[in-house]
Amino acid sequence: MSRPYQANHTHTESGDTQTIEIKDLGATLQEYSQYASKLERGNFYDHPVHGATVFIGHTAVPTRFGDFRACIFQDIIHKGYIIALTFGDVVNADLLHTRLHSSCVTSETLGGCDCDCVQQLEGAMEKIANSGQGVLFYLLQEGRGVGYSAKARDRMLVQASGDTLSTFDAYKLLGLKKDYRQYQNIADIVHILGIEAEWVILTNNPDKVAAMERNGLKVARAEAIEFEPGPFNLFYLKSKKESGHTLTRPNEIPLAEIKLPEPVVPFKPSRLKQAERFIYMASYLLPVRPIDDEIVVTYESLRGILGNHEIDEYTQGVHPLVKKFESLRGNRLMLKIDPAEMKALEKTEGGNPLSALLVEPYWFRVHVYYDVVTGDDLVVLTHGNPKSYESPIVRIQSESILNRFPVKVDDNKEKYNRAIQHIVRYGSGAVVLVYQDGRGAGFGAFAIDRMLMEQNLSLGTRDSYRKLGIPFDQRDYEVVFQVLKSHLPSLNIQMVMNSPNSLVQKNEYAQALHRSGLNVVNWIFLETED
């Protein structure tokens, strides 16, 4: 059977004429770099289209599980991006493992542990890599396709109900259907890539199997992808099971009462006075996974856990349960624990008082705004309740979608984690998440920039953006700081930056910060200059 995308390219080099036949763009995505230096510039930028889906570019994604390649597409109607994360030879295979994965910014970027999305993402990638070949389709369909603003209102209602409402109940109250996701783009992508294999779908959701078959794709079978529930996602997983997902583990564990650190009260969306283009949509509490096994508790709560014991008792021996502890402001204590030793002790001796710390999260409040100008969401995380005389720690965090995957080198996530640690140790602060790739130019610009540099057709991002005809930085720092100010008790802040040189490199950022009126009383640098 012939492949859907064919082209003959002629290139003249040193007086010689070479003809390079590319039978199928999809069939050669893995070895495309071999041809790139030989192709004429115009041909290198070919973008096949099928249905409503256009091919944007491709880039290498080295992960902890092996080397994947992200083939990036966009829907030309609703403008959403879809990533086909391929592993191995996907064109000549007879059987491919796959997952249709919808984005989840809270677990994949913010470190939330109130769902199992990041576990499913990484678990599916590991299975695909172990099988030798497959595709993970990453769809930007947050909250089963309703977007993060509506998903956040769902979470707000569920928490306000004390988990008496399920996520599906909340959707119904909000006038939403159970699921808005569509998978037609996947059929288009399979056509563009020239894939003819049958599929093993890694999913617990029978609706995804039906969607694949409905779009004309051959499904060999479905394989469950399930992980041990935690206290913060158990109620969510039970509601999924009740809605038809093939899950077994939620029934094995009794629901535990989750005590939120403060009330969650639903409210009607309203415009933000400081920046009226933003509608304040929702606010709820997010349990964030501890970083580097550092648990932060009050002295009072620790005393309740320890009873008549002292913390020093758990720092003794060859394999201490507590590696170190440190006093923090606000009558709090940081304990660096050894989870493996705690779990081992729990199996052999039935646990110990400190086992309760294994499920102790960092509590942040999520504030979600809808931008009526761009149609984007703006997310602000706040921690603690700073007084007017305090200077909370602040971080403006720009994200890349590719950093949601378990990549080998993840400087972006590492910087986010370090900022979270600074905020939690201090006791109060805020993170504004600007999740617009390509310095505000979008994921398409980001993808083409990476592809150009991988093919040695660009000297760097500034050169790529010059070729694309776009400004180097389009992030709107002015409105970011205006929204941030609505969550601060005063204009005094401590600012987390990558390095002392960041302000020099980010001129737009520095100017917007100056105009905002915020007074930086302390700079916290995540890197040091040589």
Side-chain angles (χ1 to χ4, degrees):
M1 182 180 294
S2 62
R3 301 295 189 185
Y5 186 79
Q6 299 180 351
N8 290 314
H9 297 297
T10 302
H11 172 66
T12 302
E13 185 175 37
S14 302
D16 298 327
T17 300
Q18 297 179 339
T19 299
I20 302 170
E21 183 177 355
I22 297 183
K23 294 180 180 179
D24 169 27
L25 178 62
T28 59
L29 278 173
Q30 300 297 330
E31 70 262 30
Y32 197 56
S33 60
Q34 300 173 16
Y35 299 104
S37 62
K38 301 178 182 179
L39 296 180
E40 292 179 350
R41 185 173 298 275
N43 291 325
F44 178 71
Y45 289 107
D46 284 352
H47 293 275
V49 181
H50 185 75
T53 310
V54 59
F55 170 72
I56 300 295
H58 63 94
T59 183
V61 183
T63 77
R64 299 197 307 266
F65 308 123
D67 293 337
F68 284 75
R69 179 158 289 274
C71 304
I72 298 145
F73 301 83
Q74 188 173 21
D75 189 295
I76 59 178
I77 298 174
H78 64 65
K79 315 306 178 189
Y81 291 101
I82 310 98
I83 303 171
L85 204 62
T86 68
F87 188 90
D89 183 355
V90 298
V91 173
N92 296 308
D94 296 320
L95 188 70
L96 291 173
H97 283 70
T98 188
R99 173 165 175 78
L100 318 183
H101 187 87
S102 297
S103 58
C104 176
V105 68
T106 51
S107 69
E108 295 163 5
T109 297
L110 302 180
C113 52
D114 58 348
C115 67
D116 65 336
C117 297
V118 73
Q119 293 170 299
Q120 288 192 317
L121 173 66
E122 297 186 1
M125 290 179 65
E126 185 174 17
K127 280 194 172 186
I128 288 170
N130 290 339
S131 74
Q133 51 203 17
V135 186
L136 183 136
F137 294 97
Y138 189 87
L139 304 109
L140 295 174
Q141 298 188 147
E142 194 83 27
R144 297 190 294 280
V146 298
Y148 191 32
S149 286
K151 172 184 171 180
R153 290 189 60 73
D154 148 48
R155 298 304 305 146
M156 181 171 65
L157 289 180
V158 170
Q159 287 188 347
S161 76
D163 279 349
T164 58
L165 284 178
S166 73
T167 182
F168 301 104
D169 295 332
Y171 270 41
K172 189 173 181 179
L173 283 175
L174 292 168
L176 297 169
K177 295 188 299 183
K178 172 183 170 181
D179 200 329
Y180 285 80
R181 289 173 292 188
Q182 63 86 22
Y183 302 99
Q184 178 58 46
N185 296 108
I186 292 175
D188 293 340
I189 290 169
V190 168
H191 179 89
I192 292 172
L193 296 182
I195 297 173
E196 298 173 0
E198 292 189 344
W199 300 93
V200 176
I201 306 179
L202 304 172
T203 185
N204 308 317
N205 186 354
D207 290 345
K208 289 185 178 180
V209 177
M212 289 280 278
E213 294 174 334
R214 196 164 51 244
N215 284 302
L217 300 174
K218 295 174 284 187
V219 178
R221 65 181 185 276
E223 289 185 4
I225 180 164
E226 190 174 0
F227 300 89
E228 187 71 26
F232 302 104
N233 65 16
L234 182 57
F235 180 74
Y236 170 72
L237 293 176
K238 281 182 179 289
S239 65
K240 270 190 169 185
K241 178 174 175 58
E242 292 170 0
S243 74
H245 287 228
T246 54
L247 295 165
T248 59
R249 295 188 180 184
N251 279 359
E252 300 170 357
I253 304 173
L255 278 173
E257 183 183 358
I258 301 299
K259 294 183 179 179
L260 299 178
E262 58 190 55
V264 173
V265 180
F267 58 85
K268 293 180 180 180
S270 60
R271 288 203 316 276
L272 184 66
K273 291 181 180 179
Q274 290 90 337
E276 295 200 12
R277 61 190 271 189
F278 288 97
I279 299 176
Y280 191 14
M281 298 293 289
S283 171
Y284 68 97
L285 294 167
L286 181 70
V288 173
R289 292 183 295 273
I291 297 164
D292 295 338
D293 301 321
E294 292 186 0
I295 310 298
V296 175
V297 294
T298 64
Y299 277 93
E300 182 182 4
S301 62
L302 183 61
R303 176 49 55 200
I305 291 172
L306 293 177
N308 295 325
H309 297 273
E310 296 297 330
I311 190 63
D312 290 329
E313 298 175 33
Y314 299 96
T315 63
Q316 309 301 317
V318 180
H319 301 291
L321 299 182
V322 177
K323 296 181 179 179
K324 69 174 183 177
F325 61 91
E326 175 186 343
S327 293
L328 302 176
R329 62 190 296 274
N331 196 34
R332 297 173 305 134
L333 197 68
M334 185 278 288
L335 307 172
K336 188 172 180 64
I337 67 171
D338 189 328
E341 286 296 321
M342 284 192 180
K343 291 175 183 176
L345 188 63
E346 195 167 15
K347 288 181 179 179
T348 59
E349 300 181 16
N352 65 84
L354 289 184
S355 294
L357 297 178
L358 288 170
V359 293
E360 184 71 28
Y362 302 151
W363 284 105
F364 279 77
R365 184 172 279 275
V366 181
H367 309 267
V368 181
Y369 297 87
Y370 179 74
D371 186 344
V372 300
V373 174
T374 66
D376 294 328
D377 299 313
L378 184 67
V379 180
V380 181
L381 288 181
T382 58
H383 179 74
N385 297 293
K387 305 294 189 292
S388 59
Y389 54 82
E390 293 182 309
S391 303
I393 294 176
V394 169
R395 168 73 173 173
I396 309 300
Q397 179 74 24
S398 292
E399 186 212 22
S400 168
I401 291 172
L402 293 187
N403 287 102
R404 298 182 184 184
F405 304 133
V407 295
K408 278 183 181 177
V409 179
D410 197 345
D411 292 339
N412 201 51
K413 191 166 290 184
E414 178 67 17
K415 290 168 184 173
Y416 169 77
N417 287 341
R418 297 286 80 80
I420 292 295
Q421 280 183 313
H422 281 291
I423 290 171
V424 171
R425 287 172 180 171
Y426 182 74
S428 66
V431 177
V432 183
L433 181 67
V434 183
Y435 56 114
Q436 299 170 321
D437 272 280
R439 294 175 172 82
F443 189 55
F446 171 82
I448 293 175
D449 170 32
R450 281 187 54 132
M451 188 168 65
L452 287 172
M453 287 194 285
E454 283 181 8
Q455 307 302 337
N456 294 319
L457 296 176
S458 170
L459 300 175
T461 298
R462 287 189 183 275
D463 187 35
S464 298
Y465 280 26
R466 181 185 59 78
K467 296 175 189 294
L468 288 167
I470 56 177
F472 180 67
D473 195 338
Q474 297 185 56
R475 288 168 290 195
D476 195 340
Y477 296 116
E478 299 278 354
V479 297
V480 166
F481 286 122
Q482 289 304 315
V483 174
L484 171 65
K485 284 166 65 175
S486 69
H487 294 282
L488 300 175
S490 72
L491 295 178
N492 294 328
I493 61 171
Q494 301 179 66
M495 178 66 78
V496 179
M497 296 290 291
N498 292 345
S499 69
N501 198 37
S502 295
L503 287 173
V504 178
Q505 296 173 334
K506 297 181 178 180
N507 184 51
E508 297 88 352
Y509 181 102
Q511 290 183 6
L513 176 59
H514 176 72
R515 287 191 293 268
S516 72
L518 290 169
N519 177 37
V520 180
V521 298
N522 182 39
W523 294 97
I524 300 171
F525 297 113
L526 302 176
E527 305 168 356
T528 56
E529 302 295 334
D530 296 331

